[in-house]
Amino acid sequence: MSAERHPTVTLASSNELPPRPDHVCARCWEGVFVARFGLQNDPVTQWAHSWYGGFEYTLSYDEFQLCKESNCSWFCLLDRGFRSHSGTPGWPDDSTSSSTLHFRVGKPFSWSSKRDEELIVVYNDRRTFKLSIQADDADAAWLERWTRVPCVERLDLVALAKAYVYRCLQNHECCRDSCHTESEVPLPARLIDCSDPVRPRVIETRGGTGGDHVYVALSYVWGEESQPHRTTTDNLRSYLDAIESSSLPQTISDAIRVTRALGVRYLWVDSLCIIQDSREDKHRELAKMRTVYRHAYLTIDAANAKKVSQGFLDGRIPVYASIWLPFIWSQRLKGVEPQNKKPLVTSDDDPVDDHCDHADSHALYLSESATRYGRPSDCGYTGQRAWCLQEILVSKRHLLFADQTLQFRCRSTIQDVGVHRVNEDPLMAQWTVTDAVPDVVFQPPSSVLLYSEDWFTIHWAWLQVVMDYTRRSLSYSSDKLVACAGLAEEFACALGTQVPYLAGLWRDSLLCDLLWFVAPDKIGSRGDGRAPSWSWAASDHAVSFQYAPTYRIEYWKSREELTEVVGCTTTLEDSALPFGPVTDGHLVLCAPLLGPYMAEDWPAVTRLIPAEVQVSDGEHRCSDPITPGHGLTSLVMDAVCSGEGDHGRDQRLWLLPLIYQPYHVEQCSSLVNLVVRVVEKTDACHSSVFPKEGDKVTYRRMGYCELDLGVYESYERLADALRHKTDGIWVFPRAQIELV
């Protein structure tokens, strides 16, 4: 093994290498390991198609084969990493026996300090892959900025977490309750008194406020178990006396232990603090979910427990699924500040101190893909459950018990418990669990000015929440709206109570909120009547939005609305749950209609063909097919056109234009539509293809369609007709239609 285009790396004469581990070959040990993987060289960067920095070396094909045959962990990692990148050109195989392999290893260049926890490997100046770096508990104190892997019991780490909670309480203004002092915080109806862990008991707060009743809340996954421990009308009286700890599932028992370790007496758990067989009590307490989690001292996030019987404290936190490698260092330098470290290896022109003690090696862990636990969706089993999203997002602070780490999180900080580094970088805060809910949402209730910066921030955040929420699972589809009711209430407080909430959409941004769509392969799954067809809550699948949070405000403001909202109402299933389930919803629009069309290839619709109909004088229709390659940007159906229960089994489809989006910075002008279908109309309407003024026609949403107006000339003419009036009369007539 030799170095190329780099000063020869040698070991100082007075230093001796520590014993070589069996899983590292001699070639690598005396080269890249001595060079400490280039982590203390200049960062690896690319400029004008050339790479610079790090530690570089070359191998012949024969040397490469010897490294592989010796089962060297480093080269096995390289081999696996580059082979997993399909199409890596020139990666050694039997046909490249004459190849010379050139490697460059080091930390990637970046303005972000996060890159200090990564290692980049460049092969033949063409292909790269990155590794995550971690050090074990004993070495993290002297390895610069690398994440420590806590190798201790999880419960022991909770004691360390108390310091982060105290720091948050003292220093983080945005984490404090701006509406209530601690003594004014409204309490849940019931709490669990954990003062005796062997015989915890349920207490009734009788509508009291905080004071001495500081409590911790639990966010966890029930699983498919029957929950025999749950509170019912029959056992409530006995639970007020005591609960046998042996009857509790492991996750709740662990939560009691953590609550006590935090120095808190009371715990809130839904299965014990809500009477599970009382519809009245459930609805009353579900309406308080927002305040339960928002006013909790801290929320325990049992992310690593798949079900309630599993528990989240057992065992020690493991390292990532990775390999461990030695990291050579001088004993004399252990424990000193990073800026005082001296390299063990040197170039020919940079002699080292000959009086250094012998070198030794420490554990370093490299992983091809380490989970960073950034967004809520990254966080174990609770990150997959719909109910758990609001429980975490409305909490001021929480402890995340994940497979790979224990983290303390609040609205200002994300911190691996037991790691020296605390991240309070405001840029990094946007990457943490709170990035989906900005601070403005948690400010005291107020009326946000329409189209102000705060208004946009709140609405974009809501779309982000909905996209995360809809990709999560629910045991009962009927919970679609109630499981996010607490979050909806939080957003309603931020927007002002005068903004109606309509089955997951907001009245002041309704036309844009209607522009949701599912993945193209998810057609045919429509809900069980839990929401009107125009609401995303009617779909069983993850949704995205045309006006996603990535769009700039200027882009949104430049739109033209082609449809007027005449009225929109929903009927609540229970008035005690104003953000909960609905029994129906009616949206009345004054809108143009394009069509009719027939869909080809149900259910995988990719094109709409104009239906063969007779058109009377004065009626408008679009005669061009809507098909890929002819101005069609997107056509996504979210319901199967089965004809069941619809008027006359009419399978014709219509486009309902909502938004004209003009050209805007590399974005062609477009026409954004809903795809709808007639479900009911009066007999007077049968003689006409198009509804006339005064007609009563009811439609159901079937999908979403976006047309690129810059590709097809006839679409441009159509858009002009849709947007203009002559003598105050629309060129393209409008009719009043109803969506259900």
Side-chain angles (χ1 to χ4, degrees):
M1 178 180 292
S2 61
E4 180 177 284
R5 292 178 290 168
H6 192 282
T8 302
V9 175
T10 59
L11 191 66
S13 57
S14 63
N15 288 298
E16 297 178 1
L17 286 175
R20 176 174 62 85
D22 293 337
H23 66 286
V24 177
C25 71
R27 290 170 177 78
C28 293
W29 185 245
E30 295 170 4
V32 68
F33 281 80
V34 167
R36 296 192 202 90
F37 308 101
L39 289 168
Q40 290 166 305
N41 294 30
D42 291 335
V44 175
T45 186
Q46 187 179 29
W47 182 259
H49 306 292
S50 297
W51 289 88
Y52 303 92
F55 170 70
E56 53 181 323
Y57 61 97
T58 59
L59 286 177
S60 68
Y61 180 76
D62 290 339
E63 288 176 316
F64 172 82
Q65 287 295 98
L66 289 174
C67 290
K68 283 187 62 178
E69 291 170 2
S70 65
N71 291 320
C72 174
S73 294
W74 171 247
F75 261 91
C76 287
L77 183 64
L78 294 185
D79 188 49
R80 184 171 67 250
F82 281 112
R83 289 189 188 280
S84 67
H85 289 61
S86 58
T88 300
W91 183 247
D93 54 36
D94 293 340
S95 63
T96 57
S97 58
S98 60
S99 300
T100 298
L101 287 66
H102 177 262
F103 296 96
R104 186 184 301 272
V105 186
K107 59 185 178 183
F109 175 82
S110 174
W111 296 109
S112 168
S113 61
K114 175 178 179 289
R115 297 302 184 188
D116 286 345
E117 298 177 1
E118 290 182 336
L119 178 72
I120 187 172
V121 183
V122 184
Y123 166 64
N124 281 357
D125 285 342
R126 286 184 291 177
R127 301 295 294 182
T128 66
F129 82 102
K130 293 179 181 177
L131 299 160
S132 175
I133 305 172
Q134 289 191 317
D136 64 12
D137 186 64
D139 303 321
W142 55 272
L143 287 177
E144 184 177 0
R145 294 188 64 83
W146 293 337
T147 305
R148 174 190 294 187
V149 180
C151 292
V152 297
E153 299 291 340
R154 286 184 174 90
L155 190 60
D156 294 339
L157 288 174
V158 173
L160 298 177
K162 290 175 65 176
Y164 306 139
V165 176
Y166 179 78
R167 182 188 296 121
C168 174
L169 290 168
Q170 296 298 313
N171 302 327
H172 297 163
E173 188 68 31
C174 66
C175 299
R176 295 173 187 165
D177 195 318
S178 55
C179 304
H180 303 88
T181 64
E182 186 174 285
S183 61
E184 296 173 337
V185 169
L187 293 173
R190 300 170 195 86
L191 293 169
I192 304 168
D193 185 345
C194 303
S195 55
D196 182 354
V198 178
R199 292 174 60 83
R201 65 188 184 94
V202 173
I203 67 163
E204 293 184 325
T205 63
R206 305 189 185 280
T209 56
D212 295 331
H213 290 79
V214 175
Y215 66 93
V216 169
L218 175 65
S219 177
Y220 68 110
V221 176
W222 276 37
E224 298 180 357
E225 298 164 334
S226 60
Q227 310 289 329
H229 66 283
R230 67 190 187 279
T231 297
T232 64
T233 52
D234 291 335
N235 63 20
L236 174 60
R237 184 175 297 276
S238 65
Y239 276 13
L240 291 173
D241 293 329
I243 306 172
E244 289 297 332
S245 58
S246 59
S247 69
L248 294 176
Q250 191 60 50
T251 292
I252 296 179
S253 295
D254 287 349
I256 291 174
R257 296 169 64 194
V258 171
T259 300
R260 288 175 53 79
L262 289 169
V264 179
R265 179 173 178 176
Y266 298 103
L267 171 68
W268 188 90
V269 181
D270 56 359
S271 62
L272 291 175
C273 297
I274 299 176
I275 303 175
Q276 297 297 316
D277 61 349
S278 169
R279 184 177 184 274
E280 180 183 355
D281 193 72
K282 287 180 73 172
H283 281 213
R284 183 171 54 247
E285 294 307 305
L286 286 175
K288 301 176 184 177
M289 291 294 282
R290 163 182 168 262
T291 58
V292 166
Y293 283 94
R294 183 171 186 182
H295 298 316
Y297 175 77
L298 178 139
T299 295
I300 298 169
D301 184 358
N304 62 331
K306 187 176 183 179
K307 53 187 177 181
V308 69
S309 61
Q310 181 175 329
F312 60 90
L313 284 180
D314 287 347
R316 297 157 72 87
I317 295 179
V319 297
Y320 291 110
S322 59
I323 65 169
W324 79 268
L325 295 171
F327 190 82
I328 301 173
W329 197 252
S330 170
Q331 293 182 15
R332 185 179 67 87
L333 299 179
K334 289 170 61 175
V336 301
E337 293 299 319
Q339 61 266 27
N340 295 328
K341 294 178 183 176
K342 292 185 179 180
L344 180 65
V345 293
T346 179
S347 70
D348 292 337
D349 302 323
D350 185 19
V352 298
D353 183 359
D354 286 338
H355 299 288
C356 289
D357 294 336
H358 294 324
D360 59 3
S361 61
H362 304 269
L364 192 70
Y365 298 89
L366 299 180
S367 171
E368 294 176 59
S369 56
T371 302
R372 292 295 307 171
Y373 299 104
R375 298 179 180 273
S377 54
D378 298 330
C379 302
Y381 296 109
T382 54
Q384 301 167 17
R385 297 292 293 171
W387 276 101
C388 296
L389 180 62
Q390 68 175 1
E391 296 169 0
I392 295 305
L393 289 185
V394 302
S395 299
K396 296 190 291 287
R397 59 192 73 86
H398 70 278
L399 275 180
L400 169 68
F401 288 82
D403 283 338
Q404 310 292 350
T405 188
L406 172 63
Q407 283 186 346
F408 170 77
R409 295 174 171 221
C410 66
R411 293 172 189 161
S412 302
T413 298
I414 181 172
Q415 172 65 46
D416 287 296
V417 178
V419 181
H420 297 292
R421 177 170 53 90
V422 176
N423 174 31
E424 294 186 352
D425 184 346
L427 291 177
M428 195 69 164
Q430 299 176 16
W431 170 76
T432 69
V433 69
T434 59
D435 65 349
V437 183
D439 289 342
V440 65
V441 175
F442 300 105
Q443 299 306 310
S446 62
S447 296
V448 176
L449 294 177
L450 191 65
Y451 305 151
S452 65
E453 184 176 349
D454 282 348
W455 185 91
F456 279 105
T457 299
I458 293 168
H459 277 288
W460 288 171
W462 176 254
L463 299 185
Q464 183 79 34
V465 165
V466 171
M467 288 189 286
D468 188 354
Y469 175 75
T470 56
R471 63 151 208 90
R472 294 165 175 248
S473 61
L474 278 167
S475 298
Y476 304 100
S477 61
S478 58
D479 290 343
K480 192 78 169 187
L481 287 170
V482 72
C484 66
L487 269 173
E489 184 182 2
E490 194 75 64
F491 276 78
C493 290
L495 287 170
T497 54
Q498 77 280 4
V499 180
Y501 177 73
L502 303 164
L505 289 68
W506 301 97
R507 179 61 180 85
D508 62 351
S509 58
L510 188 55
L511 288 184
C512 291
D513 289 359
L514 288 169
L515 301 179
W516 56 268
F517 52 90
V518 299
D521 61 340
K522 300 302 183 183
I523 183 174
S525 184
R526 179 59 64 78
D528 49 8
R530 61 177 174 264
S533 67
W534 42 265
S535 168
W536 52 262
S539 174
D540 288 328
H541 297 294
V543 304
S544 298
F545 288 87
Q546 198 269 349
Y547 286 96
T550 53
Y551 282 105
R552 294 188 294 180
I553 294 177
E554 293 81 4
Y555 179 76
W556 192 92
K557 285 184 174 180
S558 67
R559 83 206 187 289
E560 294 181 33
E561 296 181 350
L562 304 177
T563 294
E564 177 188 354
V565 179
V566 178
C568 186
T569 60
T570 57
T571 304
L572 292 172
E573 182 181 286
D574 187 334
S575 59
L577 295 173
F579 300 92
V582 299
T583 56
D584 60 41
H586 300 268
L587 172 61
V588 181
L589 304 171
C590 181
L593 280 177
L594 307 180
Y597 295 95
M598 298 299 292
E600 288 192 348
D601 304 323
W602 285 98
V605 177
T606 57
R607 52 190 276 133
L608 299 177
I609 305 299
E612 295 296 330
V613 296
Q614 286 192 336
V615 181
S616 61
D617 292 341
E619 291 186 341
H620 294 251
R621 65 168 293 169
C622 186
S623 59
D624 296 309
I626 297 177
T627 181
H630 293 81
L632 178 62
T633 300
S634 176
L635 175 60
V636 183
M637 308 302 289
D638 48 70
V640 171
C641 193
S642 63
E644 294 297 329
D646 289 346
H647 182 84
R649 294 182 178 272
D650 187 350
Q651 296 195 15
R652 292 178 299 179
L653 301 173
W654 303 78
L655 295 188
L656 196 164
L658 295 184
I659 301 289
Y660 169 74
Q661 185 66 60
Y663 175 85
H664 184 82
V665 188
E666 300 182 359
Q667 182 76 31
C668 293
S669 56
S670 61
L671 190 64
V672 189
N673 315 264
L674 297 186
V675 182
V676 299
R677 181 182 176 209
V678 174
V679 293
E680 182 183 355
K681 59 182 176 180
T682 59
D683 292 339
C685 303
H686 291 316
S687 60
S688 175
V689 174
F690 294 87
K692 301 292 194 302
E693 186 176 354
D695 289 347
K696 178 174 174 54
V697 187
T698 303
Y699 295 82
R700 178 178 294 134
R701 174 190 161 122
M702 303 299 291
Y704 167 93
C705 178
E706 184 175 352
L707 302 178
D708 185 346
L709 301 181
V711 175
Y712 223 26
E713 184 178 346
S714 63
Y715 289 163
E716 284 279 16
R717 295 195 300 269
L718 175 64
D720 289 339
L722 287 168
R723 298 165 54 211
H724 291 98
K725 295 180 179 180
T726 301
D727 298 328
I729 300 175
W730 286 105
V731 173
F732 203 108
R734 265 65 171 168
Q736 194 166 106
I737 65 174
E738 182 181 40
L739 286 177
V740 294

